[in-house]
């Protein structure tokens, strides 16, 4: 069993895509073990994406991620990190495979609907960034 962090980003929430994302997670055997809606401050978005702070898109990305509500979830399942990344598709929706969330819904490399952790260490940091132990349901 593995856990990963999923975010329906502000563009996905604003466009009414929470249900579409959740549907795909559940249909593909990923179990949602924690879930809430948040609205990050700019500083919280900067902390979450600190690994990207030297990238040219950092300012724009953190403006976007703090621009409105987002839904954060902890997903659990066998090989959850890779399986969720397969469901999301490539960061750039233009490169994403047919049938992936980003290919089907994203409109922009930045406004790409969803986020998912890329490795076990990142997942541990990202889950802990938004959830404490009491908010994650025991199974
Ligand atoms: P995400 O998977 O959340 O990880 C970092 C985010 O930065 C990414 O999705 C996009 O939202 C954004 N991003 C990555 N690359 C670029 C880019 N070249 N230009 C703008 N935004 C980017």
């Amino acid at each position: 069993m593995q856990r990963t962090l999923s975010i329906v980003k502000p563009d996905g929430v604003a466009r009414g895509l929470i249900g579409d994302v959740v549907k795909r997670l559940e249909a593909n055997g990923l179990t949602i073990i924690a879930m809430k809606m948040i609205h990050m401050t700019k500083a919280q978005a900067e902390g979450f994406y600190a690994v990207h702070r030297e990238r040219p898109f950092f300012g724009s990305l953190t403006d976007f991620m703090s621009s409105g509500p987002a839904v954060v979830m902890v997903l659990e399942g066998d090989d959850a990190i890779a399986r969720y990344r397969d469901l999301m598709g490539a960061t750039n929706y233009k490169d994403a495979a047919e049938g992936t969330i980003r290919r089907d819904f994203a409109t922009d490399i930045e406004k790409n609907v969803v986020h998912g952790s890329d490795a076990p260490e990142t997942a541990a940091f990202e889950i802990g960034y938004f959830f404490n132990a009491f908010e994650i349901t025991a199974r």
Side-chain angles (χ1 to χ4, degrees):
M1 276 297 180
Q2 192 177 55
R3 291 177 177 182
T4 189
L5 183 88
S6 163
I7 306 179
V8 182
K9 295 184 179 187
D11 62 323
V13 173
R15 293 171 56 210
L17 297 174
I18 299 169
D20 289 282
V21 173
V22 167
K23 183 105 201 144
R24 291 182 186 213
L25 302 178
E26 293 181 329
N28 286 278
L30 290 166
T31 303
I32 299 167
I33 59 167
M35 182 179 204
K36 62 187 171 187
M37 184 172 275
I38 57 160
H39 186 156
M40 278 187 264
T41 64
K42 173 88 169 164
Q44 287 167 336
E46 288 171 347
F48 181 75
Y49 279 118
V51 64
H52 294 306
R53 65 186 168 277
E54 306 299 337
R55 307 288 282 275
F57 56 79
F58 184 67
S60 171
L61 173 63
T62 52
D63 279 346
F64 162 56
M65 291 300 289
S66 57
S67 68
V71 171
V72 288
M73 292 176 264
V74 181
L75 311 180
E76 188 172 71
D78 291 332
D79 208 17
I81 294 172
R83 282 172 54 216
Y84 178 47
R85 291 181 72 79
D86 285 348
L87 289 179
M88 288 194 299
T91 302
N92 188 343
Y93 72 102
K94 291 179 181 166
D95 301 328
E98 297 271 347
T100 60
I101 294 169
R102 285 166 170 164
R103 175 66 171 261
D104 289 346
F105 298 118
T107 55
D108 185 278
I109 189 169
E110 178 176 271
K111 296 175 182 61
N112 60 355
V113 184
V114 281
H115 168 84
S117 311
D118 63 3
E121 312 75 55
T122 349
F125 166 76
E126 294 183 351
I127 290 168
Y129 198 78
F130 294 115
F131 294 97
N132 67 46
F134 299 103
E135 296 174 303
I136 299 174
T137 57
R139 307 204 51 224

